């Protein structure tokens, strides 16, 4: 007589499994490079200027500026200052606009109301800076 012994390992969980909140899907925070790129592109289009015109004025390559606008490249502060300057903005103006977008997007994600307040109810008054 032979007995059949299961060859499968028995797993004993060390921590009890907790139920995931079903009502709230995971929220992806916006990337800084996407926000800055969106601001640059919106400003360029508002001025009815081409990518080539702005890239030449900023003395950066047109393909690189395109990638920055699309959020594909994490541009240095020098490149961002040059692109902003070519659009008649200061680096602080560019970053303040991107920060405003970040506040608008994250407050909408956290509260659902879009009133500029996070889940804790605190206002976002700080400026986000990129290195």
């Amino acid at each position: 007589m032979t007995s059949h012994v299961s060859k499968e390992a028995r797993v004993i969980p060390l921590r009890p499994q907790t139920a995931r909140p079903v009502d709230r899907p995971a929220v992806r925070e916006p990337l800084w490079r996407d926000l800055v790129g969106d601001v640059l592109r919106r400003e360029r289009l508002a001025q009815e200027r081409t990518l080539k015109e702005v890239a030449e004025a900023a003395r950066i390559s047109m393909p690189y500026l395109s990638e920055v606008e699309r959020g594909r490249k994490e541009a240095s502060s020098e490149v961002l200052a040059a692109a902003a300057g070519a659009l008649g903005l200061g680096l602080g103006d560019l970053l303040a606009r991107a920060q405003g977008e970040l506040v608008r997007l994250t407050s909408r994600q956290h509260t659902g109301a879009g009133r500029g307040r996070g889940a804790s109810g605190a206002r976002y008054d700080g400026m986000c800076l990129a290195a």
Side-chain angles (χ1 to χ4, degrees):
M1 229 194 237
T2 62
S3 63
H4 289 323
V5 178
S6 174
K7 294 183 182 182
E8 293 181 24
R10 187 171 153 220
V11 178
I12 302 171
L14 297 176
R15 294 185 192 137
Q17 294 181 348
T18 58
R20 288 182 147 173
V22 180
D23 58 336
R24 182 188 279 170
V27 177
R28 184 177 159 264
E29 293 285 333
L31 297 176
W32 185 248
R33 66 178 185 239
D34 290 331
L35 297 169
V36 171
D38 287 344
V39 170
L40 287 171
R41 176 166 283 178
R42 273 198 313 269
E43 184 61 30
R44 178 177 61 80
L45 295 175
Q47 294 180 15
E48 298 181 347
R49 295 176 66 189
T50 66
L51 200 57
K52 183 179 180 186
E53 291 170 341
V54 175
E56 286 176 354
R59 300 188 59 138
I60 57 180
S61 76
M62 189 174 67
Y64 189 73
L65 179 58
S66 173
E67 288 187 320
V68 169
E69 282 189 355
R70 291 181 287 134
R72 298 284 187 105
K73 294 291 183 187
E74 193 85 51
S76 69
S77 58
E78 292 87 357
V79 169
L80 293 177
L87 293 167
L89 299 173
L91 181 59
D93 298 325
L94 173 65
L95 298 180
R97 289 181 185 190
Q99 188 258 348
E101 279 296 300
L102 179 63
V103 168
R104 186 181 64 78
L105 292 171
T106 56
S107 65
R108 185 183 325 152
Q109 289 173 352
H110 294 295
T111 64
R115 285 182 238 154
R117 297 188 182 273
S120 67
R123 255 183 83 88
Y124 297 110
D125 283 333
M127 174 172 277
C128 298
L129 299 176

